[in-house]
Amino acid sequence: ILETERGWTEVKAPFGGVVLERFTRGDTFATPGMPVVRIGDPRSVQVEVDIISDDLPQVEVGRPVVVTGKAVNDATYVGKVERVWPEAFTKISSLGIEQQRVRLVIDLDAPDQALLPGIAVDVKVEAEKSLGTLLVPEKSVFTRHGKAYVFVVREKKLVLQMVEEGLSDDEYVEITSGLKPSDSVVLSP
């Protein structure tokens, strides 16, 4: 009887791979068509990320992407945007703010086994590129009366200097006018 029951419980996958996710426990009954496990090739991992819909105009298929994070021991993976989902959805942020988001699918170049299903990573999508620009730390720039400013050290004095901002990310701001490369700016004034 046990050999007959074993034949009933044997489930064959349509292709070879690694079990990436289990959907059921061993003590539950499965019905026809019910997913039991997810099988895949960990060398062909894709990353799905939700971005705020306001950032969507800067993102398009083919844009370069960098994936990092503590879950992958701060390793860096390079890839590109493979797909932008055609509709937005509402999500509550960790701060309790309701946001409209759009899902992106990121295709990575030769990831290794460190990228596993369900882990959290940091994703940076290159929206624009500017070479040979003057950058200052994002914390150096502040707004006053709708204008951007930095404090510059000139002749051992702090001088309030109005600047024009260009591209920016989480760390740096491009300064298109108002500063010289030799200027020293105050960090976090």
Side-chain angles (χ1 to χ4, degrees), residues 14-183:
F15 57 88
V18 175
V19 174
L20 300 174
E21 187 176 4
R22 264 178 79 176
F23 297 113
T24 62
R25 294 179 25 187
D27 60 351
T28 59
F29 289 100
T31 59
M34 178 178 170
V36 178
V37 293
R38 181 185 315 258
I39 298 174
D41 181 358
R43 293 171 297 173
S44 64
V45 172
Q46 292 181 322
V47 174
E48 289 187 1
V49 61
D50 303 332
I51 65 165
I52 296 174
S53 60
D54 292 347
D55 294 336
L56 191 59
Q58 301 166 343
V59 177
E60 59 188 33
V61 172
R63 287 277 188 190
V65 176
V66 175
V67 175
T68 59
K70 290 182 182 179
V72 292
N73 296 321
D74 292 321
T76 300
Y77 299 95
V78 178
K80 64 181 179 192
V81 176
E82 182 176 285
R83 180 176 180 199
V84 178
W85 286 73
E87 64 181 331
F89 60 94
T90 302
K91 184 175 183 179
I92 305 297
S93 75
S94 58
L95 298 174
I97 300 169
E98 189 175 283
Q99 299 173 325
Q100 285 290 313
R101 295 189 170 234
V102 176
R103 180 156 293 158
L104 303 179
V105 176
I106 310 299
D107 186 33
L108 298 178
D109 296 335
D112 60 20
Q113 299 273 341
L115 282 171
L116 299 172
I119 63 171
V121 291
D122 297 319
V123 176
K124 289 186 178 181
V125 178
E126 181 183 286
E128 292 184 56
K129 194 176 211 174
S130 181
L131 301 174
T133 59
L134 179 62
L135 300 177
V136 298
E138 182 269 334
K139 294 178 181 179
S140 298
V141 183
F142 61 95
T143 305
R144 184 175 177 194
H145 304 297
K147 305 271 185 189
Y149 290 91
V150 296
F151 278 110
V152 179
V153 179
R154 291 198 179 122
E155 299 175 13
K156 298 183 182 182
K157 294 181 184 177
L158 289 180
V159 177
L160 184 63
Q161 178 67 49
M162 188 171 73
V163 293
E164 294 284 329
E165 298 174 291
L167 299 176
S168 65
D169 62 15
D170 294 340
E171 298 177 48
Y172 295 99
V173 175
E174 175 187 20
I175 302 299
T176 58
S177 69
L179 286 180
K180 297 180 287 197
S182 60
D183 284 337

